[in-house]
Amino acid sequence: MSALVDARNVHSIRRDFTQIAVFLALVWVIFALDRVLPLERLGLIPRDAGGLVGILAMPFLHADLAHLMANSVPLAVTLLLLAGSRANSGAIVLLIVVIGGAALWLLGRGGVRHIGASGLVFGLIAFHIFAGVFERRLQSLVITGVVGLLYASTLLRGVLPMQPGVSWDGHLFGALAGALVALLSARLLREQARAPVARP
């Protein structure tokens, strides 16, 4: 778990941009493949053994172009904002996907196939908002403010069971996973800051 953060690891948008571009390109390539292959059947189905693969596959699967576009822009924004943090971007994304997906598989609505990157998007929004609160660093607080202005209303609306055909429970568990990962990373940063420095 210590790989989640590194107090000395302040990475940059330039360094992370390639990885983000590859990740987003992969989402689009899989969407294109899904037009000719039945990949949507790999979506997450709560409490179904066959739906377990959806924990990792769900963020790459989208119903149509509008669904993909609606997730791509906030996904790009929230991933780019991770570049200014002291967190390991890959670990943050993986933990949100696994924790949020596992919670959805265990507790989500049965008989529904969940697809889309919105659980990850909501997890990243919550991570950015809560990281500022937990870390109390100026940079994190600025990112919290930016994300709050851009997406706070989306976060609040998206976790309510009001929109038919929308995975509101996927949004909810994604957001809870993001808040939990923000808490874990803030605690690890505080522990690293208190740890004695060994001198050769």
Side-chain angles (χ1 to χ4, degrees):
M1 190 65 75
S2 60
L4 183 60
V5 294
D6 185 345
R8 301 159 298 176
N9 179 29
V10 180
H11 33 118
S12 67
I13 290 176
R14 178 183 292 180
R15 218 168 78 194
D16 284 5
F17 184 80
T18 301
Q19 293 174 337
I20 294 168
V22 168
F23 181 77
L24 290 172
L26 185 58
V27 172
W28 278 79
V29 166
I30 290 175
F31 174 75
L33 289 174
D34 190 31
R35 301 309 92 191
V36 294
L37 299 171
L39 297 179
E40 283 184 28
R41 66 184 181 186
L42 299 176
L44 187 153
I45 304 173
R47 293 170 301 284
D48 182 287
L52 274 170
V53 68
I55 292 175
L56 295 178
M58 184 174 66
F60 298 96
L61 305 171
H62 292 84
D64 51 38
L65 187 59
H67 186 205
L68 177 61
M69 288 294 296
N71 283 332
S72 292
V73 174
L75 187 57
V77 171
T78 51
L79 285 172
L80 285 169
L81 287 172
L82 269 183
S85 73
R86 292 182 291 183
N88 180 323
S89 300
I92 295 295
V93 169
L94 183 60
L95 279 173
I96 290 172
V97 167
V98 171
I99 294 171
L104 178 62
W105 188 86
L106 286 169
L107 303 169
R109 290 167 293 158
V112 177
R113 189 185 307 275
H114 298 264
I115 59 172
S118 54
L120 173 58
V121 169
F122 276 71
L124 289 168
I125 291 170
F127 174 83
H128 286 303
I129 290 174
F130 285 97
V133 174
F134 296 141
E135 290 182 21
R136 300 174 193 160
R137 283 192 312 132
L138 178 60
Q139 189 172 12
S140 295
L141 287 168
V142 169
I143 292 174
T144 293
V146 170
V147 173
L149 286 172
L150 289 173
Y151 298 117
S153 63
T154 301
L155 181 64
L156 292 173
R157 285 197 315 270
V159 299
L160 298 175
M162 297 167 55
Q163 304 170 63
V166 172
S167 178
W168 63 267
D169 37 357
H171 298 169
L172 175 62
F173 291 121
L176 291 173
L180 176 61
V181 173
L183 176 61
L184 290 173
S185 65
R187 285 184 175 176
L188 287 170
L189 281 170
R190 284 195 293 270
E191 289 173 8
Q192 287 183 3
R194 289 195 299 263
V197 177
R199 298 184 183 276

